[in-house]
């Protein structure tokens, strides 16, 4: 079974721009969660989607948003990028909401 | 109350030795405790997980010990190998409270010397 895939793997954006990251969960998995990983803050939860609905949200500003499609694929969007948004953005999928979470390789976002 | 504290920050172990990483939590509602292994340039990989109704779980060379009264849990890697050199993260979640998110420790960078 294929793992979680994330595209693109690397991205360089300029401050003030917006960005959209994509995540395809493991086949059959219906829950998708997003995490931000930085050297200073570690792994921090962004949001969780299940059945196309946001079920849980972490402590991030409204510039961070996401959505989930009927095929469980998910996207996250960051608007008005700031230098501090430079991070590895990880997507994790699970077959149910309270299940084992499997991570993708991440998207490395650099904001200049 | 939402924090998971992990120690040590870094660990150097000789090949064949035992690596021990510890985590502590405050929120007694946590009911799921996984450990993840992350290699440079990769996403975290689920290693082993435990629920609070058992005190120990073993999978191959990896063992989780769980102490509910002390609100602590630890990962033991037996017969550590250079290939185990990676960053390890403990995590916790309140799955019983219908929360789907993991709260992670800050990570432990393990180096196994040949």
């Amino acid at each position: 079974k294929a793992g979680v895939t994330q595209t693109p793997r690397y991205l360089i954006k300029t401050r003030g721009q917006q960005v959209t990251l994509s995540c395809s969960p493991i086949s059959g998995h219906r829950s998708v969660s997003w995490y931000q990983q930085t050297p200073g803050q570690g792994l921090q939860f962004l949001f969780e989607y299940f059945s196309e609905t946001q079920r849980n949200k972490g402590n991030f500003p409204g510039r961070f948003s996401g959505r989930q499609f009927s095929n469980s694929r998910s996207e996250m969007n960051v608007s008005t990028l700031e230098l501090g948004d430079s991070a590895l953005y990880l997507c994790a999928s699970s077959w149910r909401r309270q299940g084992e979470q499997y991570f993708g390789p991440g998207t490395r976002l650099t904001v200049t | 109350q939402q924090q998971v504290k992990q120690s040590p920050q870094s660990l150097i172990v000789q090949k064949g030795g035992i690596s021990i990483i510890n985590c502590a939590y405050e929120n007694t509602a946590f009911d799921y405790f996984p450990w993840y292994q992350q290699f440079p340039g990769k996403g975290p990989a689920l290693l082993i997980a435990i629920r609070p109704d058992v005190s120990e779980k073993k999978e191959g060379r990896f063992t989780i010990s769980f102490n509910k009264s002390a609100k602590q849990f630890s990962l033991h890697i037996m017969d550590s190998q250079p290939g185990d050199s990676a960053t390890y993260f403990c995590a916790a979640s309140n799955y019983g409270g219908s929360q789907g998110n993991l709260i992670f420790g800050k990570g432990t960078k393990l180096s196994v010397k040949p």
Side-chain angles (χ1 to χ4, degrees), chain B residues 8-80:
Chain B
Q9 208 170 355
S10 62
L11 183 61
I12 300 174
V13 172
Q14 289 296 124
K15 178 182 174 182
I18 303 173
S19 303
I20 302 173
I21 305 171
N22 301 298
C23 284
Y25 63 97
E26 289 295 323
N27 189 347
T28 54
F30 287 153
D31 56 7
Y32 174 69
F33 303 89
W35 284 89
Y36 284 85
Q37 177 190 57
Q38 187 176 28
F39 292 104
K42 306 285 187 182
L46 179 62
L47 206 53
I48 187 172
I50 199 168
R51 302 267 181 180
D53 51 344
V54 296
S55 60
E56 187 175 281
K57 183 175 181 180
K58 184 177 180 179
E59 288 185 4
R61 296 184 294 110
F62 301 92
T63 300
I64 298 180
S65 296
F66 185 81
N67 186 328
K68 190 174 181 179
S69 61
K71 292 185 283 186
Q72 295 175 348
F73 58 110
S74 59
L75 176 70
H76 295 233
I77 306 174
M78 312 300 287
D79 187 27
S80 298

Side-chain angles (χ1 to χ4, degrees), chain A residues 9 35 37 40-41 43 45 48 56 90 97-101 103-105, chain B residues 32 36 38 41-44 46 51 89 95 98-102 104 106:
Chain A
R9 291 293 313 278
Y35 295 82
Q37 185 174 26
Q41 298 300 315
L43 280 148
F45 170 73
E48 176 206 359
N56 198 4
L90 292 158
R97 283 202 64 212
Q98 289 83 34
E100 296 176 340
Q101 294 190 26
F103 283 83
Chain B
Y32 174 69
Y36 284 85
Q38 187 176 28
K42 306 285 187 182
L46 179 62
R51 302 267 181 180
F89 294 93
Y95 277 1
S98 297
Q99 298 298 305
N101 60 294
L102 295 170
F104 284 88
K106 292 292 189 184

Side-chain angles (χ1 to χ4, degrees), chain A residues 62-84:
Chain A
R63 300 185 296 107
F64 292 81
S65 62
R67 58 177 177 168
Q68 186 181 33
F69 303 94
S70 58
N71 61 358
S72 296
R73 192 177 68 83
S74 177
E75 288 181 349
M76 69 162 281
N77 184 276
V78 188
S79 62
T80 319
L81 284 165
E82 299 178 0
L83 295 178

Side-chain angles (χ1 to χ4, degrees), chain A residues 7 9 16 29 31 35 44 52 64 73 77 83 87-88 99 101 106-107 109 112:
Chain A
T7 56
R9 291 293 313 278
H29 285 195
S31 174
Y35 295 82
Q44 293 187 288
E52 302 177 64
F64 292 81
R73 192 177 68 83
N77 184 276
L83 295 178
L88 181 67
Q101 294 190 26
T107 293
L109 172 65
T112 61

